[in-house]
Amino acid sequence: MSKKSVTAVVLCLALAATAALAASEHPGKESIEKNGYKGPETCEECHPGTAKAFLDTVHWKHASKVTNVDNLNPKLEYGMKNRIYVMCNGNDIVNNLKEIPKSPITGKSKFSGCNTCHPGNHLSDVGSTGPAAAAAVDCLVCHSTDYDFRQRKPFKNEKGEVVMGQDRSVKAALAIGKPTVKNCMVCHEAAGGGVIVKRGFTFTKDTDAHAAKGMVCVDCHKAKNHKMPSGHDPNNWANDGVFVSCADTSCHGVKPHKDADLNRHSAKIACQTCHIPRTGGAFAKDFTVWEQTADKFYEPTTLKKEANETTPVYAWYNGTVKNTPHFIGPKGSRKDGKSKITPFKIFQGRAYYNKQTGQLLSMDFAQPMSSGDTRAGVLSAAKTLGLKNPEKIAKEAVPGWQTVYFGSNHLVTKTKALYCANCHAPNGVLNFKDLGYSDKEIVKLTSPELYMEKVAKKQKEEW
Amino acid sequence: MKKAVSVMVLVAVAALSILCFGNVASAGEEIKMVGVITKIEIAGADAKTATATLKDNKTEQPVVITVNDDLTLDKFKDHRIVEGDEIRCKYEVIDGKNVSKLFRKTAGC
């Protein structure tokens, strides 16, 4: 058997095995039916230590040490907990879940905060530790296929504390399995402030070759002990120290094509460049000007497109990240021997900068959401962070733009993958000059000479 | 001759890519609206269709939308979308019904 058919057989077997597992019932079902569901302690009976170990993951801490980004302190942890950028100009700390001030127009309030996308109950919040935290983990949001999302919303308890609800019903606990796409999309679909905002990320059979094959998130993001493998998106810093890549030997390897010409390109070109030719989602936001919505609350002004409606930018990327007040994106060059041409979803946002230091400021959304007053949001955040002279900072804050590059790692296509003439032509998708090629090289790289015979032959075969 | 062919290839490639990516806005008149859900009607866990009544933010009139796509139906079933949510909706009138082409919570940051 050829190597390829062996791989195919192994793959089929693996798929069959997963399917069988998914179809089989969770062995704990009977016990839960009998004894009820009391949260993680119920699971701990048969899966000891799981909840405690979960507290040490990015999904609980919204932060980790980060080693590949400029201008960070290697001893500290960074993530949604404390980062400041312009896709969402706050973080879990300054924009902690709370009731926002009443709207001066309607007199109504609502709950808002970044840390709603956390599997805790807010009393045990992002990064909390100890037995109370372990007992607060919402195992079912990722593991149940029968979760009632009416339960998963903020409310005030009798002490006036804001609690994030969970579905802890026996019904939900009886429908346990490996996480489905939906389980992950509970939070991932609306990252960045709404559905398909940050990444134009849909995962359906129409938009992704892997979804079309029935694969789910955790077929690639295979977690052990809840450490979720991630990639090197220049704007997804926090990671559990485990990584996944298309070229992993357990997935495709570096030579996945029959066509040697294509395989040769993977030395200099990331798989995503050819296989993810489109992106989508928001491409610009203005946090200094909020728009009133129908309910008389306010939202940052946002320009956006659907999935697959925008084109990426291409840059050399070696996995390290430039991080300055006006730019967060890939580092790399044609010459460093490590970089590949990689596609990015580009995003530009306007927010306030500290007049004294030039640093990007963060914003509490409660005040602008209520009244549209964005400087009041800057003031509140500056106070929460203990900055000196918060009033002065907010008053003098200067609007400015930041450009952010996001990795583009889903929406994979085979049939629409870039082929020779998509790049090697004067109107090709790559700007060879910006990528560092000389005029002489460009003449060669944009000539059909490179593929004339090949594409002509292919064309003949196809008709 | 060589040049003519290469131009043709280019044209073909260009045409192909337009074919591939150009069809986002499909035929038929799509109507866009933003409104708050006042009622969702769905028959059980196996339902293949549902209706949602939206109060149009602009006209304040109720509009009944028929929803057939699995993803949105699932969100009705597990209550990720509920009455009171504000929705950005695109629909097409087919046989007198307002059939949803896009049905998405507006909820932002």
PDB file of all heavy atoms in Angstrom, chain A residues 62 80-81 88-98 112-118 125-126 363 365, chain B residues 109:
ATOM      1  N   HIS A  62      -7.880  33.513  31.130  1.00  0.00           N
ATOM      2  CA  HIS A  62      -7.856  34.543  30.087  1.00  0.00           C
ATOM      3  C   HIS A  62      -6.488  35.218  30.042  1.00  0.00           C
ATOM      4  O   HIS A  62      -6.379  36.429  29.801  1.00  0.00           O
ATOM      5  CB  HIS A  62      -8.958  35.586  30.292  1.00  0.00           C
ATOM      6  CG  HIS A  62     -10.330  35.085  29.913  1.00  0.00           C
ATOM      7  ND1 HIS A  62     -11.439  35.891  29.909  1.00  0.00           N
ATOM      8  CD2 HIS A  62     -10.767  33.860  29.533  1.00  0.00           C
ATOM      9  CE1 HIS A  62     -12.506  35.181  29.538  1.00  0.00           C
ATOM     10  NE2 HIS A  62     -12.127  33.949  29.313  1.00  0.00           N
ATOM     11  N   MET A  80      -7.019  38.319  27.341  1.00  0.00           N
ATOM     12  CA  MET A  80      -8.229  39.127  27.367  1.00  0.00           C
ATOM     13  C   MET A  80      -8.434  39.770  28.745  1.00  0.00           C
ATOM     14  O   MET A  80      -9.073  40.802  28.879  1.00  0.00           O
ATOM     15  CB  MET A  80      -9.424  38.256  27.010  1.00  0.00           C
ATOM     16  CG  MET A  80     -10.699  39.012  26.819  1.00  0.00           C
ATOM     17  SD  MET A  80     -11.881  37.991  25.933  1.00  0.00           S
ATOM     18  CE  MET A  80     -13.258  38.081  27.036  1.00  0.00           C
ATOM     19  N   LYS A  81      -7.839  39.150  29.757  1.00  0.00           N
ATOM     20  CA  LYS A  81      -7.942  39.695  31.095  1.00  0.00           C
ATOM     21  C   LYS A  81      -7.427  41.133  31.174  1.00  0.00           C
ATOM     22  O   LYS A  81      -8.038  41.976  31.821  1.00  0.00           O
ATOM     23  CB  LYS A  81      -7.127  38.800  32.033  1.00  0.00           C
ATOM     24  CG  LYS A  81      -7.101  39.261  33.459  1.00  0.00           C
ATOM     25  CD  LYS A  81      -6.304  38.290  34.306  1.00  0.00           C
ATOM     26  CE  LYS A  81      -6.228  38.799  35.737  1.00  0.00           C
ATOM     27  NZ  LYS A  81      -5.509  37.849  36.572  1.00  0.00           N
ATOM     28  N   CYS A  88     -11.452  45.383  20.672  1.00  0.00           N
ATOM     29  CA  CYS A  88     -12.325  45.692  21.804  1.00  0.00           C
ATOM     30  C   CYS A  88     -11.468  46.503  22.751  1.00  0.00           C
ATOM     31  O   CYS A  88     -10.522  45.992  23.309  1.00  0.00           O
ATOM     32  CB  CYS A  88     -12.795  44.419  22.495  1.00  0.00           C
ATOM     33  SG  CYS A  88     -14.071  43.566  21.584  1.00  0.00           S
ATOM     34  N   ASN A  89     -11.809  47.749  22.929  1.00  0.00           N
ATOM     35  CA  ASN A  89     -10.915  48.681  23.605  1.00  0.00           C
ATOM     36  C   ASN A  89     -11.017  48.630  25.136  1.00  0.00           C
ATOM     37  O   ASN A  89     -11.005  49.645  25.815  1.00  0.00           O
ATOM     38  CB  ASN A  89     -11.181  50.100  23.072  1.00  0.00           C
ATOM     39  CG  ASN A  89     -10.257  51.142  23.639  1.00  0.00           C
ATOM     40  OD1 ASN A  89     -10.693  52.221  23.998  1.00  0.00           O
ATOM     41  ND2 ASN A  89      -8.997  50.829  23.749  1.00  0.00           N
ATOM     42  N   GLY A  90     -11.188  47.411  25.672  1.00  0.00           N
ATOM     43  CA  GLY A  90     -11.218  47.316  27.136  1.00  0.00           C
ATOM     44  C   GLY A  90     -10.525  46.044  27.527  1.00  0.00           C
ATOM     45  O   GLY A  90      -9.596  45.627  26.885  1.00  0.00           O
ATOM     46  N   ASN A  91     -10.970  45.409  28.594  1.00  0.00           N
ATOM     47  CA  ASN A  91     -10.564  44.047  28.936  1.00  0.00           C
ATOM     48  C   ASN A  91     -11.400  43.605  30.136  1.00  0.00           C
ATOM     49  O   ASN A  91     -12.239  44.347  30.624  1.00  0.00           O
ATOM     50  CB  ASN A  91      -9.051  43.952  29.201  1.00  0.00           C
ATOM     51  CG  ASN A  91      -8.565  44.975  30.210  1.00  0.00           C
ATOM     52  OD1 ASN A  91      -9.152  45.108  31.273  1.00  0.00           O
ATOM     53  ND2 ASN A  91      -7.503  45.689  29.872  1.00  0.00           N
ATOM     54  N   ASP A  92     -11.144  42.375  30.597  1.00  0.00           N
ATOM     55  CA  ASP A  92     -11.955  41.841  31.697  1.00  0.00           C
ATOM     56  C   ASP A  92     -11.885  42.712  32.950  1.00  0.00           C
ATOM     57  O   ASP A  92     -12.827  42.772  33.734  1.00  0.00           O
ATOM     58  CB  ASP A  92     -11.476  40.433  32.072  1.00  0.00           C
ATOM     59  CG  ASP A  92     -11.739  39.411  30.971  1.00  0.00           C
ATOM     60  OD1 ASP A  92     -12.727  39.579  30.237  1.00  0.00           O
ATOM     61  OD2 ASP A  92     -10.949  38.455  30.853  1.00  0.00           O
ATOM     62  N   ILE A  93     -10.734  43.366  33.155  1.00  0.00           N
ATOM     63  CA  ILE A  93     -10.563  44.137  34.390  1.00  0.00           C
ATOM     64  C   ILE A  93     -11.321  45.458  34.330  1.00  0.00           C
ATOM     65  O   ILE A  93     -12.164  45.734  35.180  1.00  0.00           O
ATOM     66  CB  ILE A  93      -9.061  44.376  34.676  1.00  0.00           C
ATOM     67  CG1 ILE A  93      -8.396  43.030  35.015  1.00  0.00           C
ATOM     68  CG2 ILE A  93      -8.883  45.361  35.834  1.00  0.00           C
ATOM     69  CD1 ILE A  93      -6.891  43.106  35.161  1.00  0.00           C
ATOM     70  N   VAL A  94     -11.052  46.270  33.307  1.00  0.00           N
ATOM     71  CA  VAL A  94     -11.706  47.593  33.279  1.00  0.00           C
ATOM     72  C   VAL A  94     -13.169  47.466  32.877  1.00  0.00           C
ATOM     73  O   VAL A  94     -13.978  48.351  33.150  1.00  0.00           O
ATOM     74  CB  VAL A  94     -10.995  48.586  32.327  1.00  0.00           C
ATOM     75  CG1 VAL A  94      -9.552  48.778  32.737  1.00  0.00           C
ATOM     76  CG2 VAL A  94     -11.086  48.170  30.877  1.00  0.00           C
ATOM     77  N   ASN A  95     -13.502  46.370  32.236  1.00  0.00           N
ATOM     78  CA  ASN A  95     -14.853  46.204  31.709  1.00  0.00           C
ATOM     79  C   ASN A  95     -15.507  44.993  32.341  1.00  0.00           C
ATOM     80  O   ASN A  95     -16.142  44.179  31.683  1.00  0.00           O
ATOM     81  CB  ASN A  95     -14.738  46.012  30.192  1.00  0.00           C
ATOM     82  CG  ASN A  95     -15.887  46.643  29.467  1.00  0.00           C
ATOM     83  OD1 ASN A  95     -16.935  46.876  30.051  1.00  0.00           O
ATOM     84  ND2 ASN A  95     -15.706  46.863  28.194  1.00  0.00           N
ATOM     85  N   ASN A  96     -15.312  44.898  33.650  1.00  0.00           N
ATOM     86  CA  ASN A  96     -15.866  43.815  34.444  1.00  0.00           C
ATOM     87  C   ASN A  96     -17.398  43.818  34.360  1.00  0.00           C
ATOM     88  O   ASN A  96     -18.021  44.873  34.369  1.00  0.00           O
ATOM     89  CB  ASN A  96     -15.394  44.035  35.890  1.00  0.00           C
ATOM     90  CG  ASN A  96     -15.911  42.983  36.828  1.00  0.00           C
ATOM     91  OD1 ASN A  96     -16.255  41.882  36.417  1.00  0.00           O
ATOM     92  ND2 ASN A  96     -15.965  43.336  38.107  1.00  0.00           N
ATOM     93  N   LEU A  97     -17.999  42.629  34.282  1.00  0.00           N
ATOM     94  CA  LEU A  97     -19.455  42.498  34.159  1.00  0.00           C
ATOM     95  C   LEU A  97     -20.196  43.259  35.263  1.00  0.00           C
ATOM     96  O   LEU A  97     -19.946  43.067  36.447  1.00  0.00           O
ATOM     97  CB  LEU A  97     -19.819  41.013  34.228  1.00  0.00           C
ATOM     98  CG  LEU A  97     -21.305  40.664  34.216  1.00  0.00           C
ATOM     99  CD1 LEU A  97     -21.963  41.126  32.934  1.00  0.00           C
ATOM    100  CD2 LEU A  97     -21.503  39.160  34.398  1.00  0.00           C
ATOM    101  N   LYS A  98     -21.092  44.139  34.852  1.00  0.00           N
ATOM    102  CA  LYS A  98     -21.872  44.923  35.822  1.00  0.00           C
ATOM    103  C   LYS A  98     -23.099  45.507  35.147  1.00  0.00           C
ATOM    104  O   LYS A  98     -23.264  45.406  33.936  1.00  0.00           O
ATOM    105  CB  LYS A  98     -21.011  46.048  36.402  1.00  0.00           C
ATOM    106  CG  LYS A  98     -20.467  47.002  35.358  1.00  0.00           C
ATOM    107  CD  LYS A  98     -19.579  48.041  36.026  1.00  0.00           C
ATOM    108  CE  LYS A  98     -18.658  48.778  35.066  1.00  0.00           C
ATOM    109  NZ  LYS A  98     -17.590  47.987  34.441  1.00  0.00           N
ATOM    110  N   SER A 112     -23.454  44.414  31.241  1.00  0.00           N
ATOM    111  CA  SER A 112     -22.459  44.373  30.189  1.00  0.00           C
ATOM    112  C   SER A 112     -21.091  44.115  30.800  1.00  0.00           C
ATOM    113  O   SER A 112     -20.810  44.546  31.918  1.00  0.00           O
ATOM    114  CB  SER A 112     -22.448  45.701  29.435  1.00  0.00           C
ATOM    115  OG  SER A 112     -21.338  45.734  28.565  1.00  0.00           O
ATOM    116  N   GLY A 113     -20.257  43.404  30.077  1.00  0.00           N
ATOM    117  CA  GLY A 113     -18.896  43.143  30.540  1.00  0.00           C
ATOM    118  C   GLY A 113     -18.258  42.090  29.673  1.00  0.00           C
ATOM    119  O   GLY A 113     -18.935  41.270  29.077  1.00  0.00           O
ATOM    120  N   CYS A 114     -16.932  42.131  29.610  1.00  0.00           N
ATOM    121  CA  CYS A 114     -16.223  41.207  28.735  1.00  0.00           C
ATOM    122  C   CYS A 114     -16.208  39.797  29.304  1.00  0.00           C
ATOM    123  O   CYS A 114     -16.227  38.815  28.571  1.00  0.00           O
ATOM    124  CB  CYS A 114     -14.791  41.686  28.558  1.00  0.00           C
ATOM    125  SG  CYS A 114     -14.679  43.402  28.023  1.00  0.00           S
ATOM    126  N   ASN A 115     -16.171  39.705  30.632  1.00  0.00           N
ATOM    127  CA  ASN A 115     -15.976  38.387  31.245  1.00  0.00           C
ATOM    128  C   ASN A 115     -17.239  37.520  31.269  1.00  0.00           C
ATOM    129  O   ASN A 115     -17.308  36.551  32.022  1.00  0.00           O
ATOM    130  CB  ASN A 115     -15.383  38.533  32.645  1.00  0.00           C
ATOM    131  CG  ASN A 115     -15.958  39.704  33.423  1.00  0.00           C
ATOM    132  OD1 ASN A 115     -16.680  40.521  32.874  1.00  0.00           O
ATOM    133  ND2 ASN A 115     -15.658  39.775  34.701  1.00  0.00           N
ATOM    134  N   THR A 116     -18.236  37.849  30.429  1.00  0.00           N
ATOM    135  CA  THR A 116     -19.353  36.914  30.259  1.00  0.00           C
ATOM    136  C   THR A 116     -18.897  35.691  29.466  1.00  0.00           C
ATOM    137  O   THR A 116     -19.512  34.640  29.573  1.00  0.00           O
ATOM    138  CB  THR A 116     -20.515  37.574  29.492  1.00  0.00           C
ATOM    139  OG1 THR A 116     -19.986  38.223  28.345  1.00  0.00           O
ATOM    140  CG2 THR A 116     -21.253  38.574  30.347  1.00  0.00           C
ATOM    141  N   CYS A 117     -17.846  35.831  28.658  1.00  0.00           N
ATOM    142  CA  CYS A 117     -17.357  34.691  27.891  1.00  0.00           C
ATOM    143  C   CYS A 117     -16.323  33.932  28.700  1.00  0.00           C
ATOM    144  O   CYS A 117     -15.143  33.810  28.324  1.00  0.00           O
ATOM    145  CB  CYS A 117     -16.800  35.149  26.557  1.00  0.00           C
ATOM    146  SG  CYS A 117     -18.140  35.519  25.422  1.00  0.00           S
ATOM    147  N   HIS A 118     -16.776  33.449  29.836  1.00  0.00           N
ATOM    148  CA  HIS A 118     -15.911  32.752  30.775  1.00  0.00           C
ATOM    149  C   HIS A 118     -16.751  31.675  31.437  1.00  0.00           C
ATOM    150  O   HIS A 118     -17.898  31.932  31.797  1.00  0.00           O
ATOM    151  CB  HIS A 118     -15.408  33.761  31.825  1.00  0.00           C
ATOM    152  CG  HIS A 118     -14.500  33.165  32.841  1.00  0.00           C
ATOM    153  ND1 HIS A 118     -14.926  32.883  34.131  1.00  0.00           N
ATOM    154  CD2 HIS A 118     -13.211  32.780  32.764  1.00  0.00           C
ATOM    155  CE1 HIS A 118     -13.908  32.358  34.799  1.00  0.00           C
ATOM    156  NE2 HIS A 118     -12.862  32.287  33.993  1.00  0.00           N
ATOM    157  N   ASP A 125     -14.377  34.425  39.285  1.00  0.00           N
ATOM    158  CA  ASP A 125     -14.214  35.109  38.008  1.00  0.00           C
ATOM    159  C   ASP A 125     -12.928  34.658  37.308  1.00  0.00           C
ATOM    160  O   ASP A 125     -12.216  33.777  37.790  1.00  0.00           O
ATOM    161  CB  ASP A 125     -14.192  36.622  38.305  1.00  0.00           C
ATOM    162  CG  ASP A 125     -14.406  37.480  37.075  1.00  0.00           C
ATOM    163  OD1 ASP A 125     -14.740  36.937  36.016  1.00  0.00           O
ATOM    164  OD2 ASP A 125     -14.222  38.715  37.184  1.00  0.00           O
ATOM    165  N   VAL A 126     -12.636  35.316  36.203  1.00  0.00           N
ATOM    166  CA  VAL A 126     -11.409  35.087  35.441  1.00  0.00           C
ATOM    167  C   VAL A 126     -10.194  34.977  36.370  1.00  0.00           C
ATOM    168  O   VAL A 126      -9.938  35.902  37.142  1.00  0.00           O
ATOM    169  CB  VAL A 126     -11.197  36.254  34.451  1.00  0.00           C
ATOM    170  CG1 VAL A 126      -9.845  36.178  33.779  1.00  0.00           C
ATOM    171  CG2 VAL A 126     -12.324  36.294  33.429  1.00  0.00           C
ATOM    172  N   MET A 363     -10.873  51.469  27.850  1.00  0.00           N
ATOM    173  CA  MET A 363     -12.161  52.102  28.086  1.00  0.00           C
ATOM    174  C   MET A 363     -13.091  51.148  28.822  1.00  0.00           C
ATOM    175  O   MET A 363     -13.167  49.963  28.469  1.00  0.00           O
ATOM    176  CB  MET A 363     -12.751  52.443  26.715  1.00  0.00           C
ATOM    177  CG  MET A 363     -13.913  53.383  26.737  1.00  0.00           C
ATOM    178  SD  MET A 363     -14.536  53.646  25.055  1.00  0.00           S
ATOM    179  CE  MET A 363     -13.524  54.989  24.509  1.00  0.00           C
ATOM    180  N   PHE A 365     -16.821  50.203  29.123  1.00  0.00           N
ATOM    181  CA  PHE A 365     -17.907  50.431  28.171  1.00  0.00           C
ATOM    182  C   PHE A 365     -19.207  50.873  28.843  1.00  0.00           C
ATOM    183  O   PHE A 365     -20.148  51.309  28.169  1.00  0.00           O
ATOM    184  CB  PHE A 365     -18.188  49.167  27.354  1.00  0.00           C
ATOM    185  CG  PHE A 365     -17.103  48.844  26.354  1.00  0.00           C
ATOM    186  CD1 PHE A 365     -17.188  47.710  25.562  1.00  0.00           C
ATOM    187  CD2 PHE A 365     -16.010  49.675  26.193  1.00  0.00           C
ATOM    188  CE1 PHE A 365     -16.199  47.409  24.635  1.00  0.00           C
ATOM    189  CE2 PHE A 365     -15.011  49.383  25.275  1.00  0.00           C
ATOM    190  CZ  PHE A 365     -15.108  48.241  24.496  1.00  0.00           C
TER     191      PHE A 365
ATOM    192  N   CYS B 109     -20.342  44.945  21.617  1.00  0.00           N
ATOM    193  CA  CYS B 109     -19.291  44.860  22.618  1.00  0.00           C
ATOM    194  C   CYS B 109     -19.803  44.738  24.049  1.00  0.00           C
ATOM    195  O   CYS B 109     -20.855  45.145  24.365  1.00  0.00           O
ATOM    196  CB  CYS B 109     -18.404  46.091  22.537  1.00  0.00           C
ATOM    197  SG  CYS B 109     -17.163  45.893  21.272  1.00  0.00           S
TER     198      CYS B 109
END
